[in-house]
Amino acid sequence: MSIDSTIDGTIGKEGAYSNHPSDRGGPTKWGITERVARKHGYTGDMRDLPRAEAVRIYRAAYVIAPGFDKVAEISPAVAEELFDTGVNMGPDVPARWFQKWLNVFNQRGRDYADINEDADIGPGTLKAFRAFRAKRGPAEADRIMLLALNSDQGARYKQLARSRPANEDFVYGWMANRVGLA
């Protein structure tokens, strides 16, 4: 799968216009909240947000800005997971999870050096990810990283629903449509 097909899939999951009373994001179309659309220059009514504009925003804010495009050069599957989770939770959340997992998978620094857990997917994170994949084998490393990321994602959804009962309106759908099985 490619990032472009992942963006298309996410737009498919998110659907068209929504303004659910329990959703703090407010008016949303194609999964893009009004706040994010405005930040990226869209000034029209959210009901009219063109699909192409949503794709542009996704690419800029949820692929390139967090560095997930660089992860995709190493592992498209892991990048797709980071992107999809980032759309739902903000890209810093899965970026930090990714870095934390790389740090705990490094055998207390024997396989590669610890990295900063700062949500900046830069050269240090990419080097650690390459080392992790070299040590475990690409297919196995990706499988375990996806399992780890999905574990954090499911736990976060549970925490969100427990801390704000209105989120219970969404938690089943989040689990059904966002948390994959590695």
Side-chain angles (χ1 to χ4, degrees), residues 15-129:
Y17 179 77
S18 172
N19 192 8
H20 194 287
S22 296
D23 187 349
R24 288 183 172 167
T28 302
K29 184 156 183 192
W30 309 119
I32 303 292
T33 64
E34 186 171 38
R35 182 186 62 78
V36 170
R38 301 289 182 248
K39 181 178 175 184
H40 290 273
Y42 180 72
T43 59
D45 187 299
M46 286 304 292
R47 286 177 184 84
D48 301 326
L49 178 72
R51 189 177 192 286
E53 183 68 5
V55 169
R56 184 192 68 77
I57 292 169
Y58 275 135
R59 185 171 282 106
Y62 297 93
V63 177
I64 296 169
F68 299 158
D69 57 326
K70 303 297 184 208
V71 175
E73 293 171 8
I74 301 167
S75 171
V78 171
E80 291 163 10
E81 177 63 28
L82 294 169
F83 164 78
D84 188 64
T85 303
V87 165
N88 192 242
M89 298 183 181
D92 284 0
V93 172
R96 274 197 185 85
W97 290 343
F98 181 56
Q99 292 168 324
K100 289 176 182 186
W101 281 112
L102 286 169
N103 281 341
V104 299
F105 287 146
N106 74 355
Q107 302 288 304
R108 292 181 283 162
R110 291 190 300 267
D111 293 341
Y112 49 88
D114 275 349
I115 56 175
N116 290 331
E117 297 170 358
D118 58 5
D120 179 17
I121 306 295
T125 300
L126 298 171
K127 181 179 179 182
F129 188 42

